[in-house]
Amino acid sequence: MSEACQPVDVAVGVLIDAAGRFLLTSRPAGKVYAGYWEFPGGKLEAGESVEDALRRELQEELGITIGAVHPWKVEMYDYPHALVRLHFCKVYDWQGEFEMREAQRMAWQTLPVEVTPVLPGTVPVLRWFAEERGFEGPTHRG
């Protein structure tokens, strides 16, 4: 188990477009797991709700303003550097043009995911998508 026993709460946006594709972004250089693909989001600040954190993070990272937030699942993941409680929320509508404000990359994906490597905490989400969509087979490469 990681050194910190208190989990870090993280709001995660699972953006789904009209075609059913979902958005993955790469982790920026200089961060833990740089270059790995994940769903965008970030840590909750003191007193912030999951929805508020998600709105702030997606504005800061991607330059978009999201519509309704649909809480989906909560998953604990024990990374070597931190124990995180990931609050996954589906988002179907947003406004604004995507701007990669941290020089990250973005990719709209379907199953199986084409981009690699995928952040370990992201893998369960791909499995949930597979279950929901009746997809059989590997959910990602590598």
Side-chain angles (χ1 to χ4, degrees), residues 3-131:
E3 294 172 26
C5 295
Q6 213 39 34
V8 175
D9 284 292
V10 177
V12 184
V14 180
L15 276 65
I16 301 169
D17 72 5
R21 301 177 306 168
F22 48 88
L23 182 72
L24 291 179
T25 57
S26 63
R27 290 188 56 80
K31 288 200 174 177
V32 179
Y33 286 98
Y36 277 71
W37 291 85
E38 65 178 353
F39 291 96
K43 295 178 196 154
L44 275 66
E45 292 179 353
E48 224 177 12
S49 70
V50 169
E51 181 173 332
D52 289 343
L54 191 59
R55 287 185 188 286
R56 177 183 50 75
E57 287 285 346
L58 294 183
Q59 180 67 52
E60 287 174 5
E61 291 178 16
L62 306 178
I64 60 168
T65 301
I66 59 173
V69 171
H70 305 271
W72 188 24
K73 295 182 185 269
V74 177
E75 180 91 351
M76 295 287 277
Y77 199 89
D78 195 5
Y79 285 104
H81 67 285
L83 176 64
V84 293
R85 183 184 297 119
L86 302 166
H87 299 265
F88 293 99
C89 301
K90 289 183 178 179
V91 177
Y92 297 96
D93 65 290
W94 52 87
Q95 294 177 322
E97 293 298 315
F98 285 92
E99 301 170 31
M100 298 295 109
R101 295 184 171 176
E102 297 181 342
Q104 72 275 46
R105 294 175 295 155
M106 65 178 276
W108 289 101
Q109 296 288 293
T110 57
L111 295 174
V113 168
E114 297 289 322
V115 294
T116 59
V118 174
L119 194 67
T122 296
V123 174
V125 186
L126 303 178
R127 209 169 41 244
W128 302 332
F129 269 133
E131 290 166 6

